[in-house]
Structure formats: C-alpha cells, structure tokens
Amino acid sequence: MTTNNVEDQKLPGKVQGLTDVELALLLCLIAKEHCIIHTTSEAVDVLEEEIQLIASNVFGLSASVLQCSTETTLEDFSNGILVAAFSLEEKLPVKSRSPSPNQQTSSYNYAMSVAEDGQRLPNVVVAKNLDIASRQIQIQALELLRTGRIFTHTAVHTTPRPFLFVILLSAPGPALVKHLNDHIFLSHYHDPEDGFANLEEGTEWIEDDRASQSSVVHRSIVKESIQKPLFSAESIQLLMDLVGSATISIDVKRYSHDILTFLRRHRAVAAGVTPQATKHFDLLARYVVACITRLAEALNSSWHSSLAPLHDLNFVTPSLVQLAARKVYRHRISIVAPEDERSMQYGSSLAVITALLEEVTPEQVIEEVLASIEMPL
C-alpha cells in the first residue's frame, strides 16, 4: 500500500494492535454503521467504561452512556444521550464543516451541531440494556439512526460526523424490536477473559493503609483526555478511501449466495435473513473486512482466528465471507417455534421437535450452514 506520510506508514501497526472491541468499533466507523456488543451480566458495567475509553483514547471522539430500563421514557432517552457543547473533540483540531472544492462531501471529520440549549449529540452513544426498554424507546432509537435527528422540548439535535450508536447488552437477553435489530450492522460477543485493555492501562490501583481494612482504592477513570488519539480523522478517512479496492471472484460470490440460501432454508430459522442483512453481509465481507485485513496481519483473537496469516489482501476470501456471516447474522436469526417448524405439516411429533430445537442457537445454525457448504479453492 502506498503511503504519503509517516502517519500512514504507522497505520498497519495500529490496526494490528487493536483489541476485538476496538476493531468492531473501527469497522462500524468506516462503514458508517452501528453495532451490538454483548458480554456477560457481570462484565457489562466494565465494558461500558472500556467503550468510553476507546472512543476518547483510540478515536478521539466524545461519548455518552444511556442507562436503559423498563421505566425509561422518551424524555429520558432524548436528554440522556446529549452532552455539553464543550467536550473532548473541541479541544482537538476540527476540520471545517464546509468542504473545499477539492474535498469530497463524504469526508470523515469532526463536524457537529450545537443547539441553542448548549447541548449536542456526541460522536458515540452507548445504549446500555436497550433490549429491556419499551418498544417506544427502541423505535425512537431507530428513528435517530434513520433520520440523524432527535427532538427535545427546546431544540432539534442532529448527529455529528462521525456518529456511532453502540447497543451494549448482557447476554443472553430479550431481543430488540425487529426493525431496529435489522438496522444494526454487526454484533460481537466480548469474553471478559479477553480483558479490557484501555481500562487496565488507564486505571491505577493504589495502596493506602489509612483507607480501609483491605487498603485498596480503585481510582476513577478520566473520561476525557486531550492526548492525541491513536486513530486521527485522516487515518479513518484513509481506511474509508480503501473501501472500494477489494474485488470478489465469481466462485466466492457464489459461495456467499449459497450461505444465504442455506440460512433461509434451514429448518430452525424462522426469520432474520433479510435484504438489509444481505446488504450488510456484502459490505462487511467485500469491503470493510478486506480493507482492514490488507493493512495488517490477522490478530490472534476470535475475530481473526480463521484469517491468519493473511496480509496485504485486496480481494475477498472464503474465510472473510465466513467471518462476515458470523458477525452479520448472529443477532438477526430467530429460531422457529416448535409448532411452526415445517416438518410439523407432515405429521412430526411436537414433543420431538421441541426437544430438537430446545438447545439450538443462531450461532449453531450459522456454524452448521458453514460446515455444510464446500468452500471454493
């Protein structure tokens, strides 16, 4: 890859050093899409702080957290995701919102909109436990993602550029409403055993004999920092410019179509293989993942276990297609109810079908489909 400056030359190393959550957020920023991050109920609070640190330290973006519950109201939602106008990104160099004649209007920058009430939407919104909020709240979240606007009693707030909506869930949990779920680009499960790199680096443990019997104090995390982020706006833009560089062969394209067909026809799948999902599947497999992979060797993590040791690629491989299928369809596929399973039309026993589907998960369905289709050479 040709590089024009020192920062571009450092980009492969930066990508190589990303954690699984950082890579998930980077993929969404490049694709201008949104994501679901799952973890255990015990680790969800820690992961919330980790994502905030990733937003500020890795990408130099402002962030807010919305704590959702069954009692969350529309007013709580609208006011809870706003931040004060003076925030992290205003301490950093900001590009003009009006592009020059030589600039593309789609360029990545830190443009934002501050309303008369002195508040604005941050670049990253973490909606924690959105799945337990009412249907009305989830529809409001979908409206924000689709229109890029949110209304309060005093102002209309528009989303800044870039804007990332992260739905943080503790697995397992209730599903999101259908249309919001289908609008989400990808989902990723973070195993707490993989650690929280930014939180561990930014947190100090100190001993103080006067503090308590345990004499250990956990210092609070600095939410905002003026240090230079790991990925500048120019770095993100460079990755976005590479989006169209990946090609896909006829055999690999046929392979991806076979995956879609087998998923739709699987006896345990009730819904989830939608046109929007197909669009996201193609985007993740053909463009974004390929661009990330061509910049750095595969990480030694669950994200890239099937990709090593790929390097400097500008074409899509079957392994990338498999990875995209796991990330795009995991949160979309819903398991059929036993009474609606197709073999019931031909006299199958309800008790047998219930036992058969009892332990089936979307992950198992995806893996079964991938194992049943021969990969092209």
Side-chain angles (χ1 to χ4, degrees), residues 150-305:
I150 192 168
F151 298 86
T152 64
H153 289 302
T154 58
V156 177
H157 298 271
T158 58
T159 55
R161 297 190 302 272
F163 179 69
L164 173 60
F165 194 84
V166 180
I167 301 176
L168 179 59
L169 306 177
S170 56
L176 298 169
V177 296
K178 181 178 67 173
H179 295 293
L180 174 60
N181 192 65
D182 194 39
H183 196 79
I184 300 301
F185 183 47
L186 60 82
S187 65
H188 174 67
Y189 176 78
H190 177 73
D191 191 339
E193 294 185 359
D194 292 337
F196 304 91
N198 292 272
L199 194 60
E200 292 164 2
E201 292 177 2
T203 306
E204 296 180 16
W205 292 85
I206 61 173
E207 242 184 344
D208 186 350
D209 293 333
R210 300 169 299 174
S212 63
Q213 184 177 357
S214 64
S215 70
V216 177
V217 178
H218 191 190
R219 295 181 61 185
S220 61
I221 300 171
V222 178
K223 301 292 184 182
E224 303 219 352
S225 171
I226 60 174
Q227 66 180 0
K228 186 178 180 180
L230 181 64
F231 284 84
S232 64
E234 290 75 16
S235 298
I236 301 294
Q237 184 62 47
L238 174 62
L239 292 173
M240 294 176 68
D241 291 340
L242 291 173
V243 163
S245 64
T247 60
I248 183 168
S249 68
I250 295 177
D251 289 337
V252 174
K253 189 67 175 177
R254 184 186 301 114
Y255 178 61
S256 66
H257 285 171
D258 289 343
I259 292 175
L260 297 178
T261 302
F262 276 60
L263 284 174
R264 286 195 179 102
R265 295 181 61 84
H266 194 284
R267 64 184 300 179
V269 174
V273 189
T274 63
Q276 181 70 14
T278 302
K279 175 184 175 182
H280 286 166
F281 179 44
D282 182 73
L283 176 63
L284 186 58
R286 181 174 180 176
Y287 300 118
V288 183
V289 177
C291 290
I292 295 297
T293 313
R294 71 175 293 197
L295 287 172
E297 293 182 353
L299 304 179
N300 185 21
S301 69
S302 59
W303 268 86
H304 288 77
S305 59

Side-chain angles (χ1 to χ4, degrees), residues 32-160:
K32 300 179 182 178
E33 298 287 352
H34 313 283
C35 65
I36 297 174
I37 305 293
H38 290 265
T39 190
T40 61
S41 56
E42 295 80 10
V44 67
D45 292 333
V46 183
L47 185 55
E48 168 204 319
E49 295 183 338
E50 173 75 4
I51 293 174
Q52 291 184 80
L53 286 175
I54 291 173
S56 61
N57 297 346
V58 179
F59 302 113
L61 304 175
S62 58
S64 68
V65 176
L66 175 67
Q67 302 278 354
C68 297
S69 70
T70 55
E71 305 299 325
T72 302
T73 65
L74 289 175
E75 185 175 0
D76 294 335
F77 179 86
S78 300
N79 295 327
I81 63 178
L82 298 176
V83 296
F86 184 81
S87 188
L88 170 64
E89 65 187 39
E90 295 175 70
K91 304 173 187 177
L92 300 172
V94 179
K95 290 186 176 182
S96 171
R97 294 185 62 190
S98 300
S100 64
N102 296 326
Q103 290 178 318
Q104 298 294 324
T105 57
S106 60
S107 74
Y108 181 102
N109 56 58
Y110 292 120
M112 63 180 180
S113 174
V114 179
E116 295 180 357
D117 59 2
Q119 293 183 306
R120 64 177 179 85
L121 283 167
N123 298 104
V124 179
V125 173
V126 181
K128 184 178 175 183
N129 298 324
L130 183 62
D131 53 343
I132 65 175
S134 67
R135 178 180 177 84
Q136 190 178 23
I137 298 300
Q138 296 188 39
I139 297 281
Q140 182 68 27
L142 176 61
E143 189 70 12
L144 170 64
L145 302 186
R146 290 174 61 93
T147 66
R149 296 180 300 174
I150 192 168
F151 298 86
T152 64
H153 289 302
T154 58
V156 177
H157 298 271
T158 58
T159 55

Side-chain angles (χ1 to χ4, degrees), residues 255 258-259 262-263 266 322 325-326 363-375:
Y255 178 61
D258 289 343
I259 292 175
F262 276 60
L263 284 174
H266 194 284
Q322 289 187 345
R326 293 185 179 102
E363 292 88 346
Q364 292 175 347
V365 170
I366 295 171
E367 294 304 324
E368 182 178 328
V369 166
L370 294 179
S372 63
I373 305 175
E374 183 177 358
M375 294 176 60

